[in-house]
Amino acid sequence: MYTGSLRSLIDELGRLPGIGPKSAQRIAFYLLKVPDEDALRLSAAIEAVKEHTTLCERCYNVAEGGELCAYCGDERREAGIVCVVEDPRDIVAVERTRQFHGRYHVLQGALNPLEGIGPEQLRVAELLSRVKAEGIHEVILCTNPNLEGEATAMYVAQLLQPVGVRVTRIASGLPVGGDLEYADELTLGRALEGRRDVER
Amino acid sequence: MTLFKERGVVLRSYRLGEADRIVVFLTESHGKVRAVAKGVRRTTSKFGARLEPMSHVLMLLWAGRGDLDIVKQVEIVDHFPVLRGDLGRLTRGLSLIEVAEQMAQERHSDPRLYSMLVGALRVLDDTTRDPAMVAPSFFLKALVLDGAEPVLDGCASCGLSGDHVKLVAFSLPDGGALCSNCRRGRPLSAPALELMRRILGGTLGNVLSGPAPVGTEEVTLLTTEAVESHLERRLRSVRSATGI
């Protein structure tokens, strides 16, 4: 059995998601072996992220060193279009497309009635006040295409209906480079539903 | 260790590792079954979309040595698109799922609960039917199935019955409807009592075919509380849906 600081390091690592007791032990021994400066760099990075990272006051994305995140603070981005996502990690996925130049709103989750997560646990009211206050003309609902994400999108769309803003939902369909014959009927059905005219 | 084919309804799923899910099914002949669906969170997954909660599926499962089976193939039997596209119907569907998950036992066949759940989801998916009475009817029928049928033809406490006995309250811990001398729990109106009698008396089809009858809201509240009292837990889907 381990004691003292090694035991406590293994315990703390074991609390991390996806890390079991064996993995925690392996990582702790790895950290013991690496040069001091490498281990201290990791500890400083954890300290820094906890000290300097906050939530953006406008969109609830992760922000560092200020009240606004990088996207809300960027004046070149289109302020009239807002992309609503569940999680800050979804912003990274959307940004990788280089197709969206508006702003974001992070709900910090999705409706999940089976887990007791209702609208009051999400940043929905904040979205509503943003739409009214910032003159937003389009809200893109970019929640996950699963049961929770779809329920959240329907709920937000219902709330925004009286406001008179344009509400759109990201399309669902086939992955680029995939084979049609292997597509499942639900995705293919959605792709057919969302078909568009071909420009000639 | 064998492969077996089974029909089931997806009750819920939990994330596992990078891209997998643990999926909980209510199956036709093995009761509640938990299985690992590998790689289904990836966009390239061939059957991830078929394993969303409330999907009625035909699947091929691999039974290993442990508690968890492995999902090998999945085909859709019913996807319930109407139910998924309407927030009101969706939240009602989720409350059925929650009750079914609480009542079903692992690896213990309960074909009546299974067929009741599939039937209720099909009614919720039918645009010609009013969805309001589906969940309360399911809750009442589920109570009967679990051996907790409420007494509705006389006082559950003193046993008095007949036309002269007026049943004015309802309390499941006391056994069902109660007369004015024994009243406890929630007040019970005559239309609500009649509606519950119709649900349990063999005319459920009629109750579900027309518009929401008088007493629907009251029966919804009474049956929700009754099923919560029987399960000894709050129904999260109903409580959070009231906010929706």
Side-chain angles (χ1 to χ4, degrees):
Chain A
M1 294 302 283
Y2 307 108
T3 50
S5 53
L6 184 58
R7 174 76 264 161
S8 114
L9 178 62
I10 292 171
D11 287 347
E12 290 307 318
L13 288 169
R15 285 177 208 265
L16 298 175
I19 308 264
K22 275 280 178 197
S23 302
Q25 191 178 303
R26 188 167 42 83
I27 297 167
F29 273 94
Y30 169 78
L31 289 172
L32 264 183
K33 262 190 210 167
V34 296
D36 286 0
E37 57 268 29
D38 287 0
L40 291 174
R41 210 166 42 240
L42 173 67
S43 122
I46 294 171
E47 215 167 285
V49 82
K50 291 305 288 177
E51 203 171 308
H52 304 300
T53 307
T54 53
L55 286 186
C56 170
E57 286 191 352
R58 185 186 277 162
C59 74
Y60 301 96
N61 181 23
V62 177
E64 187 157 353
E67 292 165 353
L68 296 179
C69 69
Y71 305 108
C72 288
D74 186 349
E75 292 299 323
R76 290 168 301 176
R77 296 193 79 101
E78 208 178 327
I81 304 182
V82 167
C83 180
V84 178
V85 294
E86 291 178 19
D87 189 275
R89 285 172 296 182
D90 299 334
I91 292 183
V92 179
V94 177
E95 281 298 304
R96 275 202 305 263
T97 67
R98 298 182 186 183
Q99 303 268 324
F100 179 70
H101 307 291
R103 290 195 175 143
Y104 293 95
H105 187 87
V106 184
L107 293 173
Q108 298 289 349
L111 290 178
N112 191 343
L114 288 175
E115 296 296 333
I117 299 173
E120 63 285 352
Q121 276 107 309
L122 308 178
R123 303 284 186 177
V124 178
E126 289 86 345
L127 171 67
L128 212 61
S129 39
R130 267 190 79 185
V131 169
K132 287 172 187 164
E134 293 176 25
I136 289 162
H137 58 80
E138 182 176 354
V139 174
I140 306 172
L141 300 172
C142 199
T143 51
N144 287 330
N146 54 24
L147 188 86
E148 294 85 12
E150 295 291 351
T152 311
M154 278 191 276
Y155 176 69
V156 174
Q158 258 182 27
L159 279 189
L160 289 173
Q161 200 182 14
V163 183
V165 65
R166 182 181 180 212
V167 181
T168 52
R169 176 90 174 106
I170 50 159
S172 290
L174 301 166
V176 176
D179 267 20
L180 210 66
E181 65 171 309
Y182 293 118
D184 68 89
E185 61 274 41
L186 306 172
T187 310
L188 192 52
R190 288 273 195 99
L192 279 170
E193 246 176 52
R195 68 189 184 277
R196 59 189 164 94
D197 294 324
V198 178
E199 285 175 27
R200 283 171 287 182
Chain B
M1 291 190 285
T2 50
L3 270 176
F4 64 102
K5 230 180 203 181
E6 181 62 291
R7 271 171 191 265
V9 175
V10 179
L11 296 178
R12 63 162 72 198
S13 64
Y14 306 92
R15 288 179 176 192
L16 177 72
E18 277 287 308
D20 308 341
R21 277 187 183 278
I22 294 176
V23 187
V24 185
F25 300 96
L26 176 64
T27 63
E28 197 169 17
S29 40
H30 291 82
K32 193 156 72 175
V33 168
R34 292 172 194 275
V36 176
K38 292 187 175 173
V40 289
R41 280 159 56 205
R42 292 200 181 96
T43 50
T44 50
S45 165
K46 289 188 184 69
F47 53 79
R50 297 170 188 154
L51 291 173
E52 284 288 292
M54 291 193 294
S55 295
H56 182 207
V57 293
L58 176 64
M59 62 221 158
L60 193 64
L61 295 173
W62 172 260
R65 287 200 191 99
D67 293 338
L68 291 169
D69 294 348
I70 293 170
V71 183
K72 303 301 276 186
Q73 287 175 28
V74 184
E75 278 175 39
I76 282 280
V77 180
D78 296 299
H79 183 58
F80 308 117
V82 175
L83 165 55
R84 285 169 201 281
D86 179 322
L87 199 54
R89 287 176 190 266
L90 181 72
T91 48
R92 287 180 171 100
L94 289 174
S95 66
L96 310 185
I97 292 284
E98 189 177 358
V99 170
E101 195 200 355
Q102 291 302 315
M103 289 198 170
Q105 290 178 29
E106 296 212 15
R107 312 279 173 184
H108 183 88
S109 166
D110 193 346
R112 284 185 300 171
L113 181 63
Y114 166 81
S115 57
M116 233 169 69
L117 179 63
V118 172
L121 290 173
R122 281 181 179 154
V123 175
L124 276 178
D125 194 54
D126 184 348
T127 46
T128 62
R129 310 269 200 122
D130 191 303
M133 275 311 294
V134 178
S137 306
F138 182 85
F139 294 167
L140 262 184
K141 290 275 192 185
L143 284 172
V144 174
L145 210 61
D146 227 28
E149 180 174 3
V151 176
L152 298 173
D153 52 0
C155 178
S157 180
C158 65
L160 280 178
S161 62
D163 292 342
H164 63 287
V165 180
K166 208 172 170 210
L167 299 169
V168 294
F170 184 85
S171 164
L172 192 75
D174 290 299
L178 300 165
C179 68
S180 49
N181 291 332
C182 307
R183 69 163 68 199
R184 277 185 295 275
R186 287 256 173 205
L188 176 67
S189 71
L193 176 64
E194 180 54 30
L195 188 52
M196 287 198 282
R197 282 177 176 162
R198 281 173 65 200
I199 293 167
L200 296 184
T203 54
L204 177 61
N206 286 341
V207 172
L208 296 176
S209 60
V214 184
T216 297
E217 269 185 39
E218 192 181 338
V219 172
T220 305
L221 180 70
L222 291 173
T223 51
T224 303
E225 286 183 351
V227 90
E228 283 179 339
S229 152
H230 179 68
L231 294 172
E232 296 181 340
R233 74 192 291 274
R234 289 280 204 192
L235 290 181
R236 285 170 168 176
S237 53
V238 176
R239 301 291 163 188
S240 65
T242 48
I244 297 171

